[in-house]
Amino acid sequence: MLPLARQVSLACDFAKNGTARIAGIDPPKFEDTETTIDELKARIAKTLDLIGTYDRGAIDAAAGKTIEFPVGPNKMKMPAENYLLHMVLPNFFFHTTAAYAIIREAGVDIGKRDFIGMPLGISPVA
């Protein structure tokens, strides 16, 4: 298994790069230099801030468009919706889950609810 810092950087990369490609822009490169928890938190915040700047209209309009992306030394292409559902999201969740498992194994008191969070649209019944 890759170390925690690499799992976090890969999760961030799939989020920012996948979203950028779907929005029709070249993904920015982040250096993978984080070594501390604070630096990893900053990487996550930087990724979220960047994704927030992407053109939502361009993302919404991407359905049916072909996305080109690297896989190792090769270039691949697939429809945007397949790229999102079968490449970006599975890889994002794989690396997020691996990071979560590493943190939990290291003794951090976190559980399933910390990972899953509160599903959208759910509310308690009174």
Side-chain angles (χ1 to χ4, degrees):
M1 182 182 297
L2 296 171
L4 177 62
R6 188 70 179 129
Q7 298 292 355
V8 171
S9 68
L10 284 165
C12 289
D13 286 351
F14 275 101
K16 74 175 175 62
N17 296 350
T19 308
R21 290 184 185 109
I22 292 168
I25 59 176
D26 289 330
K29 173 85 171 105
F30 287 179
E31 295 302 320
D32 298 331
T33 58
E34 298 85 9
T35 59
T36 68
I37 295 297
D38 285 340
E39 289 172 341
L40 292 172
K41 287 179 179 181
R43 167 91 176 233
I44 293 166
K46 181 178 168 182
T47 300
L48 290 171
D49 288 346
L50 177 65
I51 290 171
T53 69
Y54 294 160
D55 181 356
R56 180 177 219 102
I59 293 168
D60 291 343
K65 293 184 179 175
T66 299
I67 305 295
E68 268 193 28
F69 57 97
V71 176
N74 303 311
K75 286 272 191 180
M76 303 292 190
K77 64 182 180 176
M78 63 194 314
E81 48 274 53
N82 289 349
Y83 174 65
L84 175 64
L85 295 174
H86 302 290
M87 181 63 66
V88 175
L89 289 176
N91 277 285
F92 171 78
F93 281 110
F94 176 86
H95 293 292
T96 302
T97 302
Y100 168 85
I102 292 167
I103 291 168
R104 189 169 177 174
E105 177 63 22
V108 175
D109 185 22
I110 55 174
K112 184 176 180 179
R113 288 182 192 222
D114 298 299
F115 180 81
I116 294 175
M118 181 62 75
L120 295 176
I122 193 170
S123 59
V125 177

